[in-house]
Amino acid sequence: MSDSKKIVRMRPARGLNVGVFIFAIIILYVAFKLYGYMTKEVIAEYEVGQGTIATNHVYRALAVRDETVVFAGQSGYVNYYMKNASKASVNDVVYSIDTTGEISKKIAAAASDGSTLSADATNAIARSLDQFCLTYDSNHFASVDEFCTSLNSELSQTLSVSALNNLQSMMASAEEKNTFYRKKSDDTGIVVYYTDGYENVTVENFKPEYMNATGYAKKTLDTRDQVSVGDAVYKRIGSEEWNLIIAVSENMAKQLSEVRNVRIRFCKDDYTLTVPFSVLKIQGDFFLNLTLQTAMIRYVNDRFVDVELVISEEQGLKIPNSAITFKEFYAVPKVYFSVGGDSETPGLLIQNMVGGERTVNLVTPTIYYEENDFCYIDGESVEAGDIVIMTDSALTYTIGQDVASLTGVYNINKGYAVFKQIQILSQNENYSIVKMGQPYGIALYDHIALDGSKLHEDQLVVK
């Protein structure tokens, strides 16, 4: 009786919880995808744009001008009345010599008093300051000192002219006594106040050693108070035509042999000109002789000028060099491609032998490029050794007979990599210009992989 009263509790059987199972699967899937994303390399992309690359060469050129040095005929105190790089007409007073120094001191004193400046002179100086500020380059700080020296000379000479007009009677008396001499220009030309020993250099007597700028020095003339007989007082440039002589390699001389004009850019201020030239061969070395009709005054204070020869300037699609890659392709003659069935896409008839029986399959491989009667395809639809037959002919062609490497980039517009062939027109260290409108090529605003070496055909791209 007592045994019948014992009650044993049974634990209920546990069934499968479907909700927990599904949740676990979701968690595993998310973790797997997250892991894949974190470990997969992200492909940087580049949007194709239009641009240019200029193939340029920078040289140091020697400036050759029609220069005549004028020497002092007397000893004494000197004063100047024309600013540097100004144009003198015949009988314009350029400078004066005072053998006693009496009038020269009065002129110098007047030249130090800026209160006598006219409104026109003040405005001219203001324009010079504005122009310098607009063109100033902090990488060429030495230009500040050059400008200050030039501006100081211009100011002094402007004030000296004013003093010269106010001392007419005193000067007339001194001229009668042969103690004061007003020196006028004998000819028209540009007045320049420095010498450097190159004044007699011409294209005809040019020597290669003149290109060596080591030890080059200019002697400024208008900062002196006194001169002696035979001293250089200024020089006159008689023509706007001048020459730039550049030492070039034999290859460059040959490259330019079929053209008559070349485009140049002055590195000092980015001024560009297209000028005629001739090639000189002296002692086995090659030189370009550029003939210029303008801009002489612009660089009148420079004997050596840095210029850039703009040899070519290609326009097209601009892409980074890192995007460029190479891919091997099968080259198949175009005559083996045919169109059949319901498709307009060119295909190949591939012959197969099964059990001694011949079968023919039509495949439509992707054509990546066409050139010289060949189409370039990859191994997605065919493989080396496949026999291609020609429609209505007994001729056959074996895939793999002709293999070629194409230059291209990977287009990633659709989220996966597609090789696109390119034709490079010009290239520098960082970028290339490729031809626009190429069949099977890239187009403006396409997105390409920034590093083409990280992809392969049809690879999914994580951006």
Side-chain angles (χ1 to χ4, degrees):
M1 189 74 176
S2 60
D3 293 337
S4 62
K5 292 182 179 180
K6 290 183 179 179
I7 300 174
V8 180
R9 296 180 179 273
M10 302 295 292
R11 292 184 180 181
R14 292 186 177 181
L16 181 64
N17 191 323
V18 178
V20 173
F21 180 73
I22 294 175
F23 183 74
I25 292 177
I26 294 173
I27 292 296
L28 289 173
Y29 175 78
V30 171
F32 177 78
K33 296 297 288 185
L34 182 62
Y35 174 78
Y37 179 81
M38 296 296 292
T39 57
K40 194 169 186 178
E41 186 175 13
V42 177
I43 301 299
E45 64 179 286
Y46 176 86
E47 185 177 85
V48 177
Q50 193 169 356
T52 62
I53 288 181
T55 305
N56 304 321
H57 306 270
V58 176
Y59 298 90
R60 173 150 290 186
L62 174 70
V64 177
R65 309 178 183 92
D66 174 20
E67 303 176 32
T68 301
V69 179
V70 178
F71 301 94
Q74 296 82 22
S75 299
Y77 295 85
V78 62
N79 295 95
Y80 291 95
Y81 307 102
M82 298 191 71
K83 68 179 182 179
N84 186 65
S86 60
K87 189 169 185 178
S89 301
V90 177
N91 292 327
D92 281 349
V93 177
V94 180
Y95 70 101
S96 66
I97 292 180
D98 182 8
T99 58
T100 65
E102 181 180 357
I103 297 177
S104 180
K105 289 179 182 179
K106 292 182 180 293
I107 293 174
S112 63
D113 182 9
S115 62
T116 60
L117 274 177
S118 66
D120 290 342
T122 303
N123 291 335
I125 292 172
R127 285 193 297 270
S128 297
L129 287 168
D130 289 340
Q131 181 64 26
F132 177 76
C133 291
L134 288 173
T135 59
Y136 172 67
D137 183 356
S138 58
N139 294 321
H140 300 88
F141 184 75
S143 62
V144 176
D145 184 59
E146 294 177 5
F147 176 73
C148 288
T149 301
S150 175
L151 188 62
N152 184 61
S153 297
E154 181 180 345
L155 181 61
S156 176
Q157 287 149 17
T158 300
L159 292 169
S160 295
V161 171
S162 177
L164 189 68
N165 295 329
N166 295 331
L167 297 170
Q168 291 293 333
S169 59
M170 182 179 292
M171 286 186 293
S173 176
E175 284 176 330
E176 290 181 1
K177 298 176 183 178
N178 293 325
T179 60
F180 186 82
Y181 301 87
R182 279 183 281 194
K183 298 297 184 177
K184 301 178 180 180
S185 177
D186 296 331
D187 203 350
T188 58
I190 307 301
V191 173
V192 182
Y193 296 118
Y194 77 88
T195 57
D196 57 8
Y198 283 81
E199 285 74 23
N200 294 323
V201 175
T202 64
V203 174
E204 289 72 23
N205 65 21
F206 169 79
K207 297 178 181 179
E209 52 263 33
Y210 293 156
M211 299 298 298
N212 186 3
T214 304
Y216 172 79
K218 292 166 61 173
K219 183 178 181 180
T220 304
L221 304 176
D222 59 342
T223 56
R224 300 169 299 173
D225 295 326
Q226 292 179 275
V227 294
S228 300
V229 174
D231 285 350
V233 282
Y234 75 96
K235 66 181 177 183
R236 183 177 59 248
I237 301 175
S239 174
E240 284 284 341
E241 181 177 309
W242 57 306
N243 298 80
L244 289 174
I245 299 178
I246 300 172
V248 297
S249 65
E250 183 176 359
N251 287 337
M252 177 59 69
K254 289 180 179 178
Q255 184 178 346
L256 296 172
S257 61
E258 296 182 0
V259 297
R260 296 181 179 180
N261 299 290
V262 66
R263 186 181 177 194
I264 64 173
R265 181 184 71 86
F266 289 88
C267 299
K268 184 176 183 178
D269 54 6
D270 284 333
Y271 185 65
T272 58
L273 285 172
T274 299
V275 298
F277 70 94
S278 59
V279 177
L280 308 176
K281 186 177 182 182
I282 304 174
Q283 299 175 12
D285 296 324
F286 291 86
F287 301 87
L288 293 189
N289 171 33
L290 309 176
T291 302
L292 295 83
Q293 303 289 340
T294 60
M296 190 274 294
I297 294 180
R298 197 181 187 107
Y299 310 101
V300 72
N301 293 315
D302 301 311
R303 180 63 68 186
F304 291 95
V305 186
D306 289 333
V307 297
E308 187 175 40
L309 299 183
V310 184
I311 304 303
S312 64
E313 191 172 57
E314 297 287 357
Q315 295 185 349
L317 300 176
K318 189 173 184 179
I319 63 172
N321 291 339
S322 61
I324 299 173
T325 187
F326 304 92
K327 184 178 176 181
E328 294 289 333
F329 289 91
Y330 298 125
V332 180
K334 291 181 181 180
V335 294
Y336 285 91
F337 283 84
S338 60
V339 177
D342 298 328
S343 175
E344 294 296 326
T345 304
L348 296 174
L349 295 174
I350 303 297
Q351 173 182 279
N352 296 308
M353 299 298 294
V354 179
E357 294 184 3
R358 189 182 79 160
T359 61
V360 177
N361 295 327
L362 175 66
V363 297
T364 54
T366 301
I367 297 175
Y368 289 86
Y369 186 55
E370 296 182 27
E371 182 184 40
N372 298 331
D373 298 325
F374 280 88
C375 291
Y376 293 79
I377 62 174
D378 63 10
E380 182 180 2
S381 303
V382 296
E383 60 182 24
D386 283 349
I387 304 297
V388 184
I389 63 174
M390 187 185 297
T391 305
D392 301 327
S393 173
L395 294 176
T396 63
Y397 178 83
T398 304
I399 298 293
Q401 284 184 213
D402 300 287
V403 179
S405 176
L406 292 182
T407 303
V409 297
Y410 279 108
N411 183 305
I412 56 175
N413 286 344
K414 298 179 180 180
Y416 58 90
V418 178
F419 183 88
K420 296 290 185 179
Q421 185 270 346
I422 60 173
Q423 181 178 341
I424 299 175
L425 300 176
S426 182
Q427 192 173 50
N428 62 19
E429 294 180 358
N430 300 311
Y431 289 93
S432 295
I433 298 297
V434 303
K435 189 175 181 180
M436 297 180 65
Q438 280 283 94
Y440 314 107
I442 57 175
L444 190 64
Y445 307 126
D446 273 352
H447 287 234
I448 61 175
L450 184 61
D451 188 348
S453 64
K454 295 181 178 180
L455 291 176
H456 57 77
E457 193 72 25
D458 294 327
Q459 178 181 333
L460 292 177
V461 175
V462 177
K463 300 181 183 179

